[in-house]
Amino acid sequence: MQDDNQYELLIMQYNQLKNGAMDIAELIENEDYDTAITMIKSREKVLLNCKCMRRYLELNPTQQKEVDSLVDEIRELELKNIKKLEKNMDAVQSELTFSQKSQKIQNAYEKNESAQGSIVNVEE
């Protein structure tokens, strides 16, 4: 009986992780990175708890299949989130590189007449 309760708790926590991964995906899409990071950090305890429960809980083949299915779904969602973040990081990096090059060119060719001398023809 206790194993059944533990199994239900495990499923509930994995579903919580799955829903959290979907929420994080939405936050990333909306570029709300601070909230996404906060959610990721808060999920660590739940994930560790699931690992411990899974290690010591004896599951029948049907239960094991359901748990494995949920873990695979979570893993897939997390990989999608990572790919989105990497794509966004690449875009930001290319924009930053462009801005730095543009600033460097602007600084190199900027003419500040007050800093430069003037040439006077003294023969005339």
Side-chain angles (χ1 to χ4, degrees):
M1 186 66 177
Q2 186 176 0
D3 280 351
D4 289 338
N5 291 338
Q6 291 290 326
Y7 170 73
E8 292 298 323
L9 181 61
L10 180 65
I11 293 296
M12 183 185 73
Q13 288 183 340
Y14 273 131
N15 281 322
Q16 183 181 6
L17 289 170
K18 180 180 158 188
N19 293 336
M22 290 188 290
D23 291 342
I24 290 169
E26 188 175 317
L27 291 170
I28 292 169
E29 197 67 35
N30 294 332
E31 297 181 0
D32 188 0
Y33 301 114
D34 291 335
T35 307
I37 290 171
T38 302
M39 284 187 70
I40 290 169
K41 287 180 181 179
S42 69
R43 293 164 32 111
E44 290 178 21
K45 291 178 184 177
V46 176
L47 188 60
L48 288 173
N49 190 27
C50 287
K51 282 184 175 182
C52 289
M53 286 176 64
R54 194 167 178 190
R55 180 175 293 147
Y56 297 109
L57 189 61
E58 293 181 22
L59 301 173
N60 64 39
T62 306
Q63 292 173 333
Q64 185 67 42
K65 187 176 180 181
E66 186 176 353
V67 168
D68 289 342
S69 174
L70 270 173
V71 170
D72 289 341
E73 285 181 53
I74 293 167
R75 187 175 292 124
E76 187 177 314
L77 288 168
E78 293 294 341
L79 286 173
K80 285 180 183 178
N81 288 344
I82 290 169
K83 287 180 182 178
K84 281 182 191 177
L85 284 173
E86 287 174 346
K87 181 180 154 190
N88 289 349
M89 284 174 39
D90 290 342
V92 168
Q93 184 61 43
S94 66
E95 185 69 30
L96 179 62
T97 302
F98 176 77
S99 294
Q100 288 173 340
K101 286 180 182 178
S102 180
Q103 184 68 32
K104 189 182 262 186
I105 290 170
Q106 188 176 14
N107 288 341
Y109 293 105
E110 187 176 75
K111 294 189 177 183
N112 187 352
E113 291 184 22
S114 64
Q116 297 177 350
S118 60
I119 299 175
V120 177
N121 188 352
V122 289
E123 292 182 1
E124 292 182 358

